[in-house]
Amino acid sequence: MTEKPRAADPGATGSAPGGSAPAEQAGDGPRVVIRNNRKISETAEPAAADAGSDAPAEGLVEESEVVVDEIEIEAAEVVGPPVVDAPAQPVDGGPTGLGAELEALRKDLDERTRDLQRVTAEYANYRKRVDRDKGLVTEQATGAVLAALLPILDDLDRAREHGDLVGPFGTVAEQLVTALGKFGLTPFGEQGDPFDPTRHEAVAHQTSADVTEPTCVQVMRRGYQVGERLLRPAMVAVADPE
């Protein structure tokens, strides 16, 4: 930055020997310099006026050069290199603020997901237990009603053996048996079936050469079951091989 020498104050006058024009003398007025958008006011040092010499002009030039050098030095000190903010470094190597927040949200999401999975599994098990209990209750209620009707079916079987189920009475008996079969009632126990102690109740024993294993040779009362549930075992006579 360079500043031209300033002219002497017009109010100041001087004389030179030999009829020359009076030399200008440097005044004491302030000089204003704009530096880095700031206004700096400095006062020029008075220069000695010597008649018949060029001292005032040279003094002004030297003074201006000094001022310019000071301004350049100060400007260099003020401006300096640009300052760039360094990126924020994580404290102790930990995550930054945004990373910590994301990590907290991720942990919260994982926890809520595990809670949802646990609740879903518990609800599924609850539904299974309810359905199983509901099926058992329904089967027990149905079995209790059907068990109360078994003596009527026994009477129908005896009437059938004697040939009394004929006409409208026989039709009603068949319709009753068909309707009860829709509720899962199944009769079992026929002559010639292998003896099964879990399903048959043996009331008589005999030996026979016609069988190779314990066999039901006579059925006194048929047995009934609902699905896999046994309502009543069959009452039979068993023949053992000789």
Side-chain angles (χ1 to χ4, degrees), residues 55-81:
E58 293 177 356
L60 289 175
V61 173
E62 292 177 358
E63 183 180 2
S64 300
E65 291 178 355
V66 171
V67 172
V68 171
D69 292 341
E70 292 178 356
I71 293 174
E72 291 179 352
I73 293 174
E74 293 179 359
E77 293 178 354
V78 173
V79 176

Side-chain angles (χ1 to χ4, degrees), residues 55-240:
E58 293 177 356
L60 289 175
V61 173
E62 292 177 358
E63 183 180 2
S64 300
E65 291 178 355
V66 171
V67 172
V68 171
D69 292 341
E70 292 178 356
I71 293 174
E72 291 179 352
I73 293 174
E74 293 179 359
E77 293 178 354
V78 173
V79 176
V83 179
V84 180
D85 293 338
Q89 297 296 332
V91 180
D92 297 334
T96 60
L98 180 59
E101 184 177 357
L102 291 176
E103 186 66 21
L105 291 176
R106 187 178 293 106
K107 290 182 180 179
D108 193 11
L109 177 61
D110 294 340
E111 182 178 359
R112 296 296 182 270
T113 302
R114 288 192 297 268
D115 293 341
L116 179 60
Q117 292 175 350
R118 181 170 58 254
V119 172
T120 302
E122 292 177 355
Y123 179 72
N125 294 333
Y126 168 75
R127 287 292 303 273
K128 291 179 181 179
R129 290 195 302 269
V130 169
D131 294 340
R132 183 175 62 251
D133 296 343
K134 182 179 179 180
L136 291 176
V137 170
T138 302
E139 184 178 351
Q140 291 175 357
T142 303
V145 174
L146 295 177
L149 297 176
L150 294 183
I152 299 176
L153 297 179
D154 294 338
D155 293 339
L156 294 177
D157 289 338
R158 284 189 290 269
R160 186 180 296 105
E161 292 176 357
H162 291 84
D164 295 335
L165 289 181
V166 292
F169 184 69
T171 303
V172 173
E174 293 299 331
Q175 290 177 353
L176 177 60
V177 173
T178 303
L180 295 178
K182 294 180 180 179
F183 291 94
L185 182 64
T186 305
F188 66 90
E190 299 292 339
Q191 186 176 354
D193 291 343
F195 175 73
D196 185 358
T198 61
R199 294 163 54 88
H200 299 142
E201 180 181 356
V203 294
H205 285 272
Q206 61 185 21
T207 59
S208 174
D210 298 333
V211 299
T212 57
E213 60 180 354
T215 306
C216 298
V217 294
Q218 184 180 0
V219 178
M220 289 79 169
R221 187 185 65 187
R222 291 199 296 178
Y224 290 92
Q225 65 182 17
V226 177
E228 298 298 330
R229 180 186 178 189
L230 180 66
L231 286 182
R232 188 183 69 182
M235 187 180 297
V236 298
V238 181
D240 295 328

